[in-house]
Amino acid sequence: MPTDLYGGAITIKQLPASFIDVSHIRDVPDTQEVFINETSTTSGKLDQSLIIDLLEKVDPIEYQEAIHLHLQDIVPSHVHNQPLEEVESDGVVRFFSYVSFKPEYKKVEADSPKQIVTLLCLIRLDKVDTDVLLQYIIPLKEHANVNFNGDSETDKFIKENYTLFREIGTSFTVKDWNLFG
């Protein structure tokens, strides 16, 4: 059973039961779907976020530049996305990448994340001039070099999360194009 988004106009893979729809807790903009997922790791509990955002398509053709433009208000300006892979399904290309950065805090709390890894999937819906940006935000309690080929506990944790995120991104399906006007 897939997870319905935007009133069923879009579906994705069934999310695990640990994912909570944030719209049941607070208001979420009509262009977004937001879920939180509390995960326990060896270094403590972390609240991950999955955000699906319908955005106006930006002009650049190169997907890395398009993702960078969409991230301008979200990540520090010196952070650039790192490509992972390109997957085509049902005639739609999905561009997967990630960013990793140390958060900039005005006041640091003891339980504040030391690093944020955000997995990204850009889906360009050309026929409706829409960019769909999926973000899976993974806070880390310690600073680590993220290496998708590495064997550290952090690398394994990120790779496991990427496997789920990739399934979500590749399952993204528009059921009702009237959503886009």
PDB file of all heavy atoms in Angstrom, residues 51 53 67 87 93-98 118-124 131-136 162 165-166 168-170 172:
ATOM      1  N   ILE A  51      11.216  15.615   3.524  1.00  0.00           N
ATOM      2  CA  ILE A  51      10.446  16.734   2.989  1.00  0.00           C
ATOM      3  C   ILE A  51      10.301  16.544   1.488  1.00  0.00           C
ATOM      4  O   ILE A  51      11.292  16.327   0.785  1.00  0.00           O
ATOM      5  CB  ILE A  51      11.140  18.090   3.274  1.00  0.00           C
ATOM      6  CG1 ILE A  51      11.353  18.266   4.784  1.00  0.00           C
ATOM      7  CG2 ILE A  51      10.339  19.244   2.672  1.00  0.00           C
ATOM      8  CD1 ILE A  51      12.264  19.419   5.150  1.00  0.00           C
ATOM      9  N   ASP A  53       8.903  18.630  -1.677  1.00  0.00           N
ATOM     10  CA  ASP A  53       8.579  20.022  -1.978  1.00  0.00           C
ATOM     11  C   ASP A  53       8.319  20.192  -3.466  1.00  0.00           C
ATOM     12  O   ASP A  53       9.168  19.832  -4.291  1.00  0.00           O
ATOM     13  CB  ASP A  53       9.757  20.903  -1.552  1.00  0.00           C
ATOM     14  CG  ASP A  53       9.362  22.262  -1.030  1.00  0.00           C
ATOM     15  OD1 ASP A  53       8.201  22.656  -1.177  1.00  0.00           O
ATOM     16  OD2 ASP A  53      10.242  22.931  -0.461  1.00  0.00           O
ATOM     17  N   ILE A  67      19.646  21.991  -8.266  1.00  0.00           N
ATOM     18  CA  ILE A  67      19.573  21.631  -6.849  1.00  0.00           C
ATOM     19  C   ILE A  67      20.219  22.721  -6.004  1.00  0.00           C
ATOM     20  O   ILE A  67      19.662  23.152  -4.990  1.00  0.00           O
ATOM     21  CB  ILE A  67      20.245  20.264  -6.583  1.00  0.00           C
ATOM     22  CG1 ILE A  67      19.412  19.135  -7.194  1.00  0.00           C
ATOM     23  CG2 ILE A  67      20.420  20.032  -5.087  1.00  0.00           C
ATOM     24  CD1 ILE A  67      20.080  17.776  -7.127  1.00  0.00           C
ATOM     25  N   VAL A  87      18.611   8.004 -12.007  1.00  0.00           N
ATOM     26  CA  VAL A  87      17.761   6.840 -12.216  1.00  0.00           C
ATOM     27  C   VAL A  87      16.558   7.253 -13.056  1.00  0.00           C
ATOM     28  O   VAL A  87      15.870   8.219 -12.717  1.00  0.00           O
ATOM     29  CB  VAL A  87      17.274   6.249 -10.871  1.00  0.00           C
ATOM     30  CG1 VAL A  87      16.347   5.062 -11.104  1.00  0.00           C
ATOM     31  CG2 VAL A  87      18.444   5.865  -9.984  1.00  0.00           C
ATOM     32  N   VAL A  93      13.355  11.158 -15.045  1.00  0.00           N
ATOM     33  CA  VAL A  93      14.696  11.006 -14.485  1.00  0.00           C
ATOM     34  C   VAL A  93      14.712  11.555 -13.064  1.00  0.00           C
ATOM     35  O   VAL A  93      14.159  12.618 -12.794  1.00  0.00           O
ATOM     36  CB  VAL A  93      15.748  11.733 -15.357  1.00  0.00           C
ATOM     37  CG1 VAL A  93      17.135  11.606 -14.755  1.00  0.00           C
ATOM     38  CG2 VAL A  93      15.732  11.186 -16.770  1.00  0.00           C
ATOM     39  N   ARG A  94      15.341  10.805 -12.193  1.00  0.00           N
ATOM     40  CA  ARG A  94      15.519  11.223 -10.809  1.00  0.00           C
ATOM     41  C   ARG A  94      17.014  11.394 -10.568  1.00  0.00           C
ATOM     42  O   ARG A  94      17.792  10.491 -10.829  1.00  0.00           O
ATOM     43  CB  ARG A  94      14.955  10.172  -9.857  1.00  0.00           C
ATOM     44  CG  ARG A  94      13.432  10.100  -9.889  1.00  0.00           C
ATOM     45  CD  ARG A  94      13.000   8.651  -9.922  1.00  0.00           C
ATOM     46  NE  ARG A  94      11.570   8.503  -9.758  1.00  0.00           N
ATOM     47  CZ  ARG A  94      10.726   8.386 -10.780  1.00  0.00           C
ATOM     48  NH1 ARG A  94      11.169   8.391 -12.015  1.00  0.00           N
ATOM     49  NH2 ARG A  94       9.433   8.267 -10.577  1.00  0.00           N
ATOM     50  N   PHE A  95      17.390  12.564 -10.078  1.00  0.00           N
ATOM     51  CA  PHE A  95      18.793  12.881  -9.826  1.00  0.00           C
ATOM     52  C   PHE A  95      19.043  12.823  -8.324  1.00  0.00           C
ATOM     53  O   PHE A  95      18.466  13.595  -7.571  1.00  0.00           O
ATOM     54  CB  PHE A  95      19.122  14.277 -10.350  1.00  0.00           C
ATOM     55  CG  PHE A  95      18.851  14.452 -11.817  1.00  0.00           C
ATOM     56  CD1 PHE A  95      17.695  15.069 -12.250  1.00  0.00           C
ATOM     57  CD2 PHE A  95      19.757  14.002 -12.764  1.00  0.00           C
ATOM     58  CE1 PHE A  95      17.441  15.234 -13.606  1.00  0.00           C
ATOM     59  CE2 PHE A  95      19.513  14.157 -14.118  1.00  0.00           C
ATOM     60  CZ  PHE A  95      18.355  14.777 -14.534  1.00  0.00           C
ATOM     61  N   PHE A  96      19.889  11.906  -7.893  1.00  0.00           N
ATOM     62  CA  PHE A  96      20.196  11.739  -6.474  1.00  0.00           C
ATOM     63  C   PHE A  96      21.558  12.353  -6.169  1.00  0.00           C
ATOM     64  O   PHE A  96      22.522  12.156  -6.914  1.00  0.00           O
ATOM     65  CB  PHE A  96      20.218  10.246  -6.100  1.00  0.00           C
ATOM     66  CG  PHE A  96      18.862   9.608  -6.108  1.00  0.00           C
ATOM     67  CD1 PHE A  96      18.390   8.983  -7.247  1.00  0.00           C
ATOM     68  CD2 PHE A  96      18.054   9.636  -4.975  1.00  0.00           C
ATOM     69  CE1 PHE A  96      17.131   8.385  -7.258  1.00  0.00           C
ATOM     70  CE2 PHE A  96      16.796   9.045  -4.982  1.00  0.00           C
ATOM     71  CZ  PHE A  96      16.335   8.415  -6.127  1.00  0.00           C
ATOM     72  N   SER A  97      21.619  13.076  -5.055  1.00  0.00           N
ATOM     73  CA  SER A  97      22.870  13.652  -4.592  1.00  0.00           C
ATOM     74  C   SER A  97      22.749  13.870  -3.081  1.00  0.00           C
ATOM     75  O   SER A  97      21.752  13.471  -2.471  1.00  0.00           O
ATOM     76  CB  SER A  97      23.180  14.961  -5.323  1.00  0.00           C
ATOM     77  OG  SER A  97      22.205  15.938  -5.050  1.00  0.00           O
ATOM     78  N   TYR A  98      23.756  14.491  -2.498  1.00  0.00           N
ATOM     79  CA  TYR A  98      23.696  14.783  -1.067  1.00  0.00           C
ATOM     80  C   TYR A  98      24.556  16.002  -0.754  1.00  0.00           C
ATOM     81  O   TYR A  98      25.410  16.404  -1.537  1.00  0.00           O
ATOM     82  CB  TYR A  98      24.150  13.581  -0.233  1.00  0.00           C
ATOM     83  CG  TYR A  98      25.637  13.342  -0.241  1.00  0.00           C
ATOM     84  CD1 TYR A  98      26.446  13.810   0.794  1.00  0.00           C
ATOM     85  CD2 TYR A  98      26.255  12.661  -1.292  1.00  0.00           C
ATOM     86  CE1 TYR A  98      27.809  13.593   0.776  1.00  0.00           C
ATOM     87  CE2 TYR A  98      27.615  12.441  -1.310  1.00  0.00           C
ATOM     88  CZ  TYR A  98      28.388  12.907  -0.279  1.00  0.00           C
ATOM     89  OH  TYR A  98      29.736  12.704  -0.284  1.00  0.00           O
ATOM     90  N   THR A 118      22.182  15.672   4.203  1.00  0.00           N
ATOM     91  CA  THR A 118      20.883  15.727   3.551  1.00  0.00           C
ATOM     92  C   THR A 118      20.971  14.997   2.223  1.00  0.00           C
ATOM     93  O   THR A 118      21.740  15.381   1.337  1.00  0.00           O
ATOM     94  CB  THR A 118      20.431  17.190   3.312  1.00  0.00           C
ATOM     95  OG1 THR A 118      20.399  17.872   4.571  1.00  0.00           O
ATOM     96  CG2 THR A 118      19.051  17.233   2.677  1.00  0.00           C
ATOM     97  N   LEU A 119      20.186  13.919   2.128  1.00  0.00           N
ATOM     98  CA  LEU A 119      20.069  13.186   0.874  1.00  0.00           C
ATOM     99  C   LEU A 119      19.049  13.918   0.016  1.00  0.00           C
ATOM    100  O   LEU A 119      18.027  14.379   0.517  1.00  0.00           O
ATOM    101  CB  LEU A 119      19.608  11.749   1.150  1.00  0.00           C
ATOM    102  CG  LEU A 119      20.485  10.949   2.109  1.00  0.00           C
ATOM    103  CD1 LEU A 119      19.851   9.598   2.397  1.00  0.00           C
ATOM    104  CD2 LEU A 119      21.886  10.784   1.560  1.00  0.00           C
ATOM    105  N   LEU A 120      19.335  14.037  -1.270  1.00  0.00           N
ATOM    106  CA  LEU A 120      18.503  14.831  -2.167  1.00  0.00           C
ATOM    107  C   LEU A 120      18.094  14.030  -3.390  1.00  0.00           C
ATOM    108  O   LEU A 120      18.864  13.221  -3.901  1.00  0.00           O
ATOM    109  CB  LEU A 120      19.279  16.066  -2.646  1.00  0.00           C
ATOM    110  CG  LEU A 120      19.799  16.986  -1.543  1.00  0.00           C
ATOM    111  CD1 LEU A 120      20.923  17.857  -2.070  1.00  0.00           C
ATOM    112  CD2 LEU A 120      18.666  17.825  -0.992  1.00  0.00           C
ATOM    113  N   CYS A 121      16.880  14.293  -3.847  1.00  0.00           N
ATOM    114  CA  CYS A 121      16.409  13.732  -5.106  1.00  0.00           C
ATOM    115  C   CYS A 121      15.655  14.840  -5.832  1.00  0.00           C
ATOM    116  O   CYS A 121      14.684  15.388  -5.306  1.00  0.00           O
ATOM    117  CB  CYS A 121      15.501  12.534  -4.871  1.00  0.00           C
ATOM    118  SG  CYS A 121      14.790  11.840  -6.387  1.00  0.00           S
ATOM    119  N   LEU A 122      16.120  15.186  -7.010  1.00  0.00           N
ATOM    120  CA  LEU A 122      15.451  16.185  -7.843  1.00  0.00           C
ATOM    121  C   LEU A 122      14.747  15.464  -8.975  1.00  0.00           C
ATOM    122  O   LEU A 122      15.356  14.678  -9.704  1.00  0.00           O
ATOM    123  CB  LEU A 122      16.461  17.184  -8.420  1.00  0.00           C
ATOM    124  CG  LEU A 122      15.876  18.230  -9.382  1.00  0.00           C
ATOM    125  CD1 LEU A 122      14.906  19.158  -8.667  1.00  0.00           C
ATOM    126  CD2 LEU A 122      16.988  19.016 -10.046  1.00  0.00           C
ATOM    127  N   ILE A 123      13.446  15.727  -9.095  1.00  0.00           N
ATOM    128  CA  ILE A 123      12.643  15.185 -10.183  1.00  0.00           C
ATOM    129  C   ILE A 123      12.099  16.382 -10.949  1.00  0.00           C
ATOM    130  O   ILE A 123      11.384  17.213 -10.389  1.00  0.00           O
ATOM    131  CB  ILE A 123      11.484  14.309  -9.653  1.00  0.00           C
ATOM    132  CG1 ILE A 123      12.033  13.193  -8.768  1.00  0.00           C
ATOM    133  CG2 ILE A 123      10.654  13.766 -10.809  1.00  0.00           C
ATOM    134  CD1 ILE A 123      10.972  12.425  -7.990  1.00  0.00           C
ATOM    135  N   ARG A 124      12.465  16.477 -12.222  1.00  0.00           N
ATOM    136  CA  ARG A 124      12.057  17.618 -13.035  1.00  0.00           C
ATOM    137  C   ARG A 124      10.848  17.221 -13.882  1.00  0.00           C
ATOM    138  O   ARG A 124      10.961  16.404 -14.781  1.00  0.00           O
ATOM    139  CB  ARG A 124      13.228  18.091 -13.901  1.00  0.00           C
ATOM    140  CG  ARG A 124      14.465  18.351 -13.015  1.00  0.00           C
ATOM    141  CD  ARG A 124      15.467  19.220 -13.618  1.00  0.00           C
ATOM    142  NE  ARG A 124      15.082  20.586 -13.312  1.00  0.00           N
ATOM    143  CZ  ARG A 124      15.713  21.640 -13.786  1.00  0.00           C
ATOM    144  NH1 ARG A 124      16.726  21.491 -14.592  1.00  0.00           N
ATOM    145  NH2 ARG A 124      15.322  22.847 -13.466  1.00  0.00           N
ATOM    146  N   ASP A 131       9.742  21.524 -10.415  1.00  0.00           N
ATOM    147  CA  ASP A 131      10.832  20.730  -9.860  1.00  0.00           C
ATOM    148  C   ASP A 131      10.331  20.151  -8.538  1.00  0.00           C
ATOM    149  O   ASP A 131       9.784  20.880  -7.702  1.00  0.00           O
ATOM    150  CB  ASP A 131      12.071  21.587  -9.583  1.00  0.00           C
ATOM    151  CG  ASP A 131      12.885  21.890 -10.831  1.00  0.00           C
ATOM    152  OD1 ASP A 131      12.672  21.237 -11.865  1.00  0.00           O
ATOM    153  OD2 ASP A 131      13.746  22.785 -10.753  1.00  0.00           O
ATOM    154  N   VAL A 132      10.490  18.870  -8.367  1.00  0.00           N
ATOM    155  CA  VAL A 132      10.153  18.220  -7.105  1.00  0.00           C
ATOM    156  C   VAL A 132      11.469  17.938  -6.409  1.00  0.00           C
ATOM    157  O   VAL A 132      12.358  17.301  -6.978  1.00  0.00           O
ATOM    158  CB  VAL A 132       9.371  16.909  -7.339  1.00  0.00           C
ATOM    159  CG1 VAL A 132       9.004  16.275  -6.001  1.00  0.00           C
ATOM    160  CG2 VAL A 132       8.134  17.156  -8.181  1.00  0.00           C
ATOM    161  N   LEU A 133      11.602  18.448  -5.197  1.00  0.00           N
ATOM    162  CA  LEU A 133      12.821  18.227  -4.432  1.00  0.00           C
ATOM    163  C   LEU A 133      12.475  17.410  -3.203  1.00  0.00           C
ATOM    164  O   LEU A 133      11.691  17.843  -2.359  1.00  0.00           O
ATOM    165  CB  LEU A 133      13.469  19.549  -4.023  1.00  0.00           C
ATOM    166  CG  LEU A 133      14.827  19.432  -3.339  1.00  0.00           C
ATOM    167  CD1 LEU A 133      15.865  18.835  -4.289  1.00  0.00           C
ATOM    168  CD2 LEU A 133      15.294  20.781  -2.830  1.00  0.00           C
ATOM    169  N   LEU A 134      13.027  16.204  -3.139  1.00  0.00           N
ATOM    170  CA  LEU A 134      12.888  15.357  -1.968  1.00  0.00           C
ATOM    171  C   LEU A 134      14.160  15.511  -1.151  1.00  0.00           C
ATOM    172  O   LEU A 134      15.269  15.440  -1.702  1.00  0.00           O
ATOM    173  CB  LEU A 134      12.713  13.891  -2.350  1.00  0.00           C
ATOM    174  CG  LEU A 134      11.378  13.471  -2.957  1.00  0.00           C
ATOM    175  CD1 LEU A 134      11.268  13.890  -4.403  1.00  0.00           C
ATOM    176  CD2 LEU A 134      11.201  11.983  -2.846  1.00  0.00           C
ATOM    177  N   GLN A 135      13.990  15.738   0.150  1.00  0.00           N
ATOM    178  CA  GLN A 135      15.129  15.888   1.050  1.00  0.00           C
ATOM    179  C   GLN A 135      14.953  14.938   2.230  1.00  0.00           C
ATOM    180  O   GLN A 135      13.884  14.890   2.822  1.00  0.00           O
ATOM    181  CB  GLN A 135      15.197  17.301   1.622  1.00  0.00           C
ATOM    182  CG  GLN A 135      15.265  18.403   0.601  1.00  0.00           C
ATOM    183  CD  GLN A 135      15.057  19.740   1.278  1.00  0.00           C
ATOM    184  OE1 GLN A 135      15.847  20.139   2.128  1.00  0.00           O
ATOM    185  NE2 GLN A 135      13.986  20.433   0.931  1.00  0.00           N
ATOM    186  N   TYR A 136      15.991  14.213   2.547  1.00  0.00           N
ATOM    187  CA  TYR A 136      15.983  13.366   3.732  1.00  0.00           C
ATOM    188  C   TYR A 136      17.104  13.879   4.614  1.00  0.00           C
ATOM    189  O   TYR A 136      18.290  13.683   4.315  1.00  0.00           O
ATOM    190  CB  TYR A 136      16.174  11.903   3.345  1.00  0.00           C
ATOM    191  CG  TYR A 136      15.859  10.933   4.465  1.00  0.00           C
ATOM    192  CD1 TYR A 136      14.751  11.116   5.286  1.00  0.00           C
ATOM    193  CD2 TYR A 136      16.664   9.837   4.700  1.00  0.00           C
ATOM    194  CE1 TYR A 136      14.450  10.217   6.293  1.00  0.00           C
ATOM    195  CE2 TYR A 136      16.376   8.930   5.707  1.00  0.00           C
ATOM    196  CZ  TYR A 136      15.265   9.136   6.501  1.00  0.00           C
ATOM    197  OH  TYR A 136      14.974   8.251   7.514  1.00  0.00           O
ATOM    198  N   TYR A 162      20.158   5.870   2.795  1.00  0.00           N
ATOM    199  CA  TYR A 162      20.105   6.147   1.361  1.00  0.00           C
ATOM    200  C   TYR A 162      19.311   5.066   0.625  1.00  0.00           C
ATOM    201  O   TYR A 162      18.562   5.370  -0.302  1.00  0.00           O
ATOM    202  CB  TYR A 162      21.504   6.289   0.752  1.00  0.00           C
ATOM    203  CG  TYR A 162      21.436   6.557  -0.733  1.00  0.00           C
ATOM    204  CD1 TYR A 162      20.902   7.754  -1.210  1.00  0.00           C
ATOM    205  CD2 TYR A 162      21.852   5.608  -1.661  1.00  0.00           C
ATOM    206  CE1 TYR A 162      20.803   7.993  -2.566  1.00  0.00           C
ATOM    207  CE2 TYR A 162      21.754   5.851  -3.015  1.00  0.00           C
ATOM    208  CZ  TYR A 162      21.227   7.045  -3.461  1.00  0.00           C
ATOM    209  OH  TYR A 162      21.114   7.275  -4.807  1.00  0.00           O
ATOM    210  N   PHE A 165      15.779   5.975   1.104  1.00  0.00           N
ATOM    211  CA  PHE A 165      15.498   7.213   0.375  1.00  0.00           C
ATOM    212  C   PHE A 165      15.435   6.966  -1.133  1.00  0.00           C
ATOM    213  O   PHE A 165      14.567   7.514  -1.821  1.00  0.00           O
ATOM    214  CB  PHE A 165      16.563   8.262   0.704  1.00  0.00           C
ATOM    215  CG  PHE A 165      16.339   9.582   0.033  1.00  0.00           C
ATOM    216  CD1 PHE A 165      15.267  10.387   0.384  1.00  0.00           C
ATOM    217  CD2 PHE A 165      17.202  10.021  -0.962  1.00  0.00           C
ATOM    218  CE1 PHE A 165      15.054  11.615  -0.234  1.00  0.00           C
ATOM    219  CE2 PHE A 165      17.001  11.241  -1.584  1.00  0.00           C
ATOM    220  CZ  PHE A 165      15.924  12.042  -1.218  1.00  0.00           C
ATOM    221  N   ARG A 166      16.317   6.153  -1.640  1.00  0.00           N
ATOM    222  CA  ARG A 166      16.325   5.830  -3.069  1.00  0.00           C
ATOM    223  C   ARG A 166      15.019   5.138  -3.464  1.00  0.00           C
ATOM    224  O   ARG A 166      14.443   5.419  -4.506  1.00  0.00           O
ATOM    225  CB  ARG A 166      17.526   4.955  -3.413  1.00  0.00           C
ATOM    226  CG  ARG A 166      17.714   4.713  -4.899  1.00  0.00           C
ATOM    227  CD  ARG A 166      18.920   3.804  -5.143  1.00  0.00           C
ATOM    228  NE  ARG A 166      19.241   3.683  -6.535  1.00  0.00           N
ATOM    229  CZ  ARG A 166      18.568   2.925  -7.412  1.00  0.00           C
ATOM    230  NH1 ARG A 166      17.518   2.231  -7.021  1.00  0.00           N
ATOM    231  NH2 ARG A 166      18.952   2.878  -8.676  1.00  0.00           N
ATOM    232  N   ILE A 168      12.154   5.521  -1.979  1.00  0.00           N
ATOM    233  CA  ILE A 168      11.116   6.564  -1.934  1.00  0.00           C
ATOM    234  C   ILE A 168      11.170   7.385  -3.216  1.00  0.00           C
ATOM    235  O   ILE A 168      10.155   7.618  -3.865  1.00  0.00           O
ATOM    236  CB  ILE A 168      11.287   7.454  -0.685  1.00  0.00           C
ATOM    237  CG1 ILE A 168      10.989   6.650   0.584  1.00  0.00           C
ATOM    238  CG2 ILE A 168      10.403   8.692  -0.777  1.00  0.00           C
ATOM    239  CD1 ILE A 168      11.416   7.337   1.871  1.00  0.00           C
ATOM    240  N   GLY A 169      12.369   7.841  -3.594  1.00  0.00           N
ATOM    241  CA  GLY A 169      12.519   8.678  -4.789  1.00  0.00           C
ATOM    242  C   GLY A 169      12.131   7.968  -6.074  1.00  0.00           C
ATOM    243  O   GLY A 169      11.484   8.545  -6.942  1.00  0.00           O
ATOM    244  N   THR A 170      12.514   6.703  -6.200  1.00  0.00           N
ATOM    245  CA  THR A 170      12.193   5.980  -7.437  1.00  0.00           C
ATOM    246  C   THR A 170      10.726   5.569  -7.495  1.00  0.00           C
ATOM    247  O   THR A 170      10.208   5.305  -8.573  1.00  0.00           O
ATOM    248  CB  THR A 170      13.090   4.739  -7.627  1.00  0.00           C
ATOM    249  OG1 THR A 170      12.988   3.904  -6.484  1.00  0.00           O
ATOM    250  CG2 THR A 170      14.536   5.143  -7.863  1.00  0.00           C
ATOM    251  N   PHE A 172       8.267   7.607  -6.552  1.00  0.00           N
ATOM    252  CA  PHE A 172       7.475   8.828  -6.703  1.00  0.00           C
ATOM    253  C   PHE A 172       6.670   8.753  -8.003  1.00  0.00           C
ATOM    254  O   PHE A 172       7.230   8.638  -9.086  1.00  0.00           O
ATOM    255  CB  PHE A 172       8.414  10.047  -6.733  1.00  0.00           C
ATOM    256  CG  PHE A 172       7.710  11.359  -6.851  1.00  0.00           C
ATOM    257  CD1 PHE A 172       7.384  12.088  -5.726  1.00  0.00           C
ATOM    258  CD2 PHE A 172       7.355  11.875  -8.096  1.00  0.00           C
ATOM    259  CE1 PHE A 172       6.740  13.312  -5.831  1.00  0.00           C
ATOM    260  CE2 PHE A 172       6.713  13.090  -8.213  1.00  0.00           C
ATOM    261  CZ  PHE A 172       6.404  13.802  -7.068  1.00  0.00           C
TER     262      PHE A 172
END
